[in-house]
């Protein structure tokens, strides 16, 4: 590695871990409250949809968590890096860990483990900083998956319910606020995890995270709103729309030959999850230049969004929607275009355009601009495990997100997958 070291665990990491578990618990609590209200009022269809989203999200997240625990156990000398600092709660006891994941408690155990390990490192100044960072990176990935499996679909459901009933209750506002907070926190937390892999001279400030957040907010929000509006006039067709789109996206992911997970079953789970995420937002999964794929995706989603809005406009109730119909028809496309502009702004002004060089010329100055800073030469965990504990899952995402060209990495199964460009 070119003289760079991985970020040490800090009090900010600890705060992010604590806020992350608080956000998770509040989001979960609001879901239970809303589901109870639906059941009490006899809205069994909405109750069933909400419970299905909660169960689906939890099962998918637990499966990823379990797969990753299995992969970590197989890494050479992984135990020596975590000896004396502990691992994920009960991870060393396979039967207990499996039971916790079956009971849908694996994700919560990871949160508790990250807080426990972070407290040891930050407050008590004990060893294990690398593993504490390792845990936070896994949590960031799992929050990303949980957000698009539950929070985004649930936000769509809540807006749909408000449109169908033409009224809003306190519990619905709470649920919308919780889902929105979860999505916003995921965006900031995920970008912060990506930034931690940059060389010190290329560290990005919080301004880049702000632009990154605005770009994602302005692209995801119109998409969610368009889906909710379409559902409000043709509720029986939104399921068909999702299945068709999801199937196409999964095929596209398969065609790009993703190799993110370390097993066949895990890879199919990853591709199915990518298809779900693509239903709401762009997520890059293949090596090489991504501009072409991004243009194809946004063109496709723009056309689909236009069809959804046109369908809603034709089938809406002119009387009930008179106060906001025209405003939405104008605001949603403009918001999406503004999101694309913020995305272009990020890549032009804030995104370090990096690549990996074999060796750094010692005669080069230390204050190179972002555009000329080479990316870290990652030693992804394989048969020659790095002396530093590196989370290969987040590292593979970061290496492609911050690179113009694919970064070659030797692993047991050739190359790993590319990053999500949310």
């Amino acid at each position: 590695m070119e003289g760079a070291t991985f970020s040490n665990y800090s009090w900010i990491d600890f705060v992010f871990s604590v806020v992350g578990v608080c956000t998770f618990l509040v989001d979960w609590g609001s879901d239970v409250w809303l589901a109870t209200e639906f059941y009490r009022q006899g809205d069994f269809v909405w109750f069933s949809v909400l419970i299905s989203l909660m169960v689906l999200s939890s099962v998918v997240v637990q499966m990823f968590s379990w797969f990753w625990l299995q992969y970590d156990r197989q890494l050479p000398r992984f135990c020596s890096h975590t000896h004396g600092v502990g691992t994920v709660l009960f991870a060393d006891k396979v039967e207990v860990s499996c039971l916790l994941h079956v009971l849908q408690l694996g994700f919560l155990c990871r949160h508790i483990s990250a807080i426990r390990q972070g407290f040891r490192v930050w407050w008590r100044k004990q060893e294990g900083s690398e593993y504490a960072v390792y845990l936070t990176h896994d949590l960031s990935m799992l929050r990303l998956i949980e957000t698009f499996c539950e929070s985004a679909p649930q936000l769509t459901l809540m807006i749909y319910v408000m449109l169908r009933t033409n009224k809003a209750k306190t519990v619905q506002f709470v649920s919308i606020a919780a889902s929105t907070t979860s999505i916003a926190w995921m965006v900031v937390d995920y970008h912060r995890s990506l930034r931690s892999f940059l060389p010190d001279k290329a560290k990005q400030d919080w301004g880049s995270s702000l632009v990154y957040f605005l770009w994602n907010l302005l692209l995801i929000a119109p998409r969610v709103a368009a889906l909710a509006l379409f559902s409000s006039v043709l509720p029986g067709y939104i399921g068909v729309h999702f299945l068709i789109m999801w199937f196409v996206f999964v095929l596209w992911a398969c065609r790009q030959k993703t190799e993110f997970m370390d097993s066949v079953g895990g890879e199919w789970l990853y591709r199915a999850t990518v298809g779900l995420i693509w239903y709401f937002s762009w997520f890059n999964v293949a090596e090489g230049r991504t501009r072409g794929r991004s243009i194809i995706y946004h063109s496709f989603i723009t056309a689909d969004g236009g069809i959804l809005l046109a369908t809603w406009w034709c089938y809406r109730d002119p009387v009930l929607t008179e106060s906001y119909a025209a405003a939405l028809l104008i605001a949603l496309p403009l918001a999406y275009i503004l999101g694309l502009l913020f995305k272009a702004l990020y890549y032009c002004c804030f995104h370090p355009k990096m690549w990996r060089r074999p060796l750094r010329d010692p005669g080069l100055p230390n204050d190179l601009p972002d555009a000329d800073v080479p990316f870290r030469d990652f030693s992804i965990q394989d048969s020659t495990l790095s002396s530093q504990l590196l989370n290969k899952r987040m590292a593979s995402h970061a290496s492609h997100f911050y690179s113009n060209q694919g970064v070659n990495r030797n692993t047991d199964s050739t190359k790993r997958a590319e990053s999500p460009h949310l």
Side-chain angles (χ1 to χ4, degrees):
M1 306 213 293
E2 297 175 347
T5 58
F6 299 112
S7 301
N8 291 324
Y9 194 86
S10 66
W11 67 271
I12 299 180
D13 297 291
F14 183 76
V15 170
F16 266 70
S17 296
V18 173
V19 174
V21 71
C22 291
T23 303
F24 168 74
L25 293 175
V26 170
D27 192 23
W28 183 84
S30 67
D31 293 344
V32 174
W33 182 18
L34 184 61
T36 303
E37 289 296 316
F38 281 158
Y39 185 83
R40 288 176 54 188
Q41 296 170 8
D43 299 321
F44 298 116
V45 174
W46 297 341
F47 170 80
S48 300
V49 173
L50 180 59
I51 293 297
S52 299
L53 291 174
M54 294 172 61
V55 172
L56 172 65
S57 170
S58 182
V59 169
V60 170
V61 170
Q62 304 299 327
M63 291 178 69
F64 273 103
S65 176
W66 175 252
F67 273 121
W68 293 349
L69 284 178
Q70 295 296 96
Y71 300 159
D72 289 346
R73 291 193 188 101
Q74 299 171 5
L75 292 174
R77 301 204 307 273
F78 181 81
C79 293
S80 64
H81 282 272
T82 60
H83 179 69
V85 301
T87 58
V88 175
L89 203 60
F90 300 114
D92 54 339
K93 300 178 181 179
V94 179
E95 295 80 6
V96 177
S97 179
C98 180
L99 178 61
L100 288 173
H101 281 78
V102 171
L103 296 175
Q104 308 302 297
L105 296 174
F107 188 34
L108 181 60
C109 287
R110 281 185 175 270
H111 276 289
I112 296 173
S113 302
I115 293 176
R116 181 189 62 174
Q117 183 62 22
F119 182 78
R120 289 176 176 176
V121 173
W122 169 60
W123 185 260
R124 295 186 178 180
K125 308 301 181 182
Q126 296 180 2
E127 295 181 355
S129 177
E130 291 177 0
Y131 187 64
V133 174
Y134 189 98
L135 289 175
T136 59
H137 286 160
D138 267 351
L139 278 178
S140 181
M141 285 287 299
L142 290 174
R143 290 191 196 107
L144 172 73
I145 296 169
E146 190 268 345
T147 294
F148 286 104
C149 287
E150 181 184 356
S151 298
Q154 183 178 312
L155 184 58
T156 305
L157 174 63
M158 289 304 96
I159 298 175
Y160 157 77
V161 171
M162 293 174 64
L163 291 170
R164 289 286 291 183
T165 60
N166 203 32
K167 60 182 179 180
K169 298 181 179 180
T170 302
V171 64
Q172 294 171 342
F173 280 118
V174 172
S175 180
I176 289 175
S179 297
T180 304
T181 301
S182 178
I183 294 173
W185 185 257
M186 177 280 300
V187 169
V188 175
D189 180 59
Y190 180 75
H191 188 239
R192 186 174 182 277
S193 293
L194 291 179
R195 286 173 20 184
S196 68
F197 286 90
L198 288 172
D200 291 338
K201 62 179 63 62
K203 291 292 185 184
Q204 296 174 287
D205 57 27
W206 286 99
S208 64
S209 290
L210 177 60
V211 176
Y212 184 90
F213 168 75
L214 291 174
W215 141 30
N216 283 277
L217 177 65
L218 291 170
L219 292 183
I220 296 174
R223 177 63 179 173
V224 169
L227 292 171
L229 290 171
F230 176 81
S231 302
S232 67
V233 294
L234 295 176
Y237 289 89
I238 188 62
V240 177
H241 177 267
F242 167 74
L243 290 176
I244 293 175
M245 296 279 286
W246 176 78
F247 183 72
V248 171
F249 286 147
V250 172
L251 288 181
W252 195 23
C254 293
R255 184 173 178 78
Q256 295 183 40
K257 299 179 180 179
T258 63
E259 292 182 336
F260 179 72
M261 303 288 278
D262 293 343
S263 64
V264 176
E267 193 60 42
W268 277 107
L269 174 65
Y270 174 71
R271 291 172 180 175
T273 305
V274 167
L276 177 58
I277 294 175
W278 275 344
Y279 191 65
F280 295 97
S281 180
W282 172 237
F283 186 82
N284 191 35
V285 297
E287 288 197 0
R289 296 184 179 275
T290 64
R291 182 179 303 171
R293 287 189 293 270
S294 180
I295 292 175
I296 292 174
Y297 173 82
H298 286 298
S299 299
F300 182 72
I301 291 297
T302 300
D304 180 68
I307 293 173
L308 294 177
L309 285 178
T311 303
W312 167 73
W313 181 266
C314 293
Y315 286 90
R316 67 188 175 89
D317 187 322
V319 176
L320 294 178
T321 62
E322 183 180 3
S323 61
Y324 60 82
L328 286 179
L329 193 64
I330 297 173
L332 293 182
L334 288 180
Y336 197 85
I337 293 173
L338 186 59
L340 293 176
L341 292 177
F342 269 108
K343 184 174 182 178
L345 174 66
Y346 174 86
Y347 278 100
C348 290
C349 302
F350 295 95
H351 189 76
K353 301 175 180 62
M354 302 180 184
W355 62 90
R356 187 182 69 173
R357 298 175 184 173
L359 290 173
R360 179 184 176 88
D361 187 348
L364 292 176
N366 294 325
D367 56 347
L368 286 175
D370 284 350
D372 297 322
V373 178
F375 193 74
R376 287 182 182 180
D377 185 358
F378 285 128
S379 296
I380 300 300
Q381 292 167 331
D382 54 14
S383 57
T384 58
L385 186 65
S386 167
S387 60
Q388 290 183 310
L389 191 62
L390 173 65
N391 191 313
K392 66 178 181 181
R393 293 174 280 271
M394 185 58 73
S396 65
H397 285 187
S399 65
H400 286 59
F401 182 76
Y402 287 114
S403 299
N404 284 336
Q405 302 173 2
V407 178
N408 296 323
R409 300 183 302 277
N410 295 324
T411 62
D412 295 333
S413 59
T414 68
K415 299 179 180 179
R416 317 308 297 170
E418 193 170 274
S419 71
H421 285 193
L422 291 174

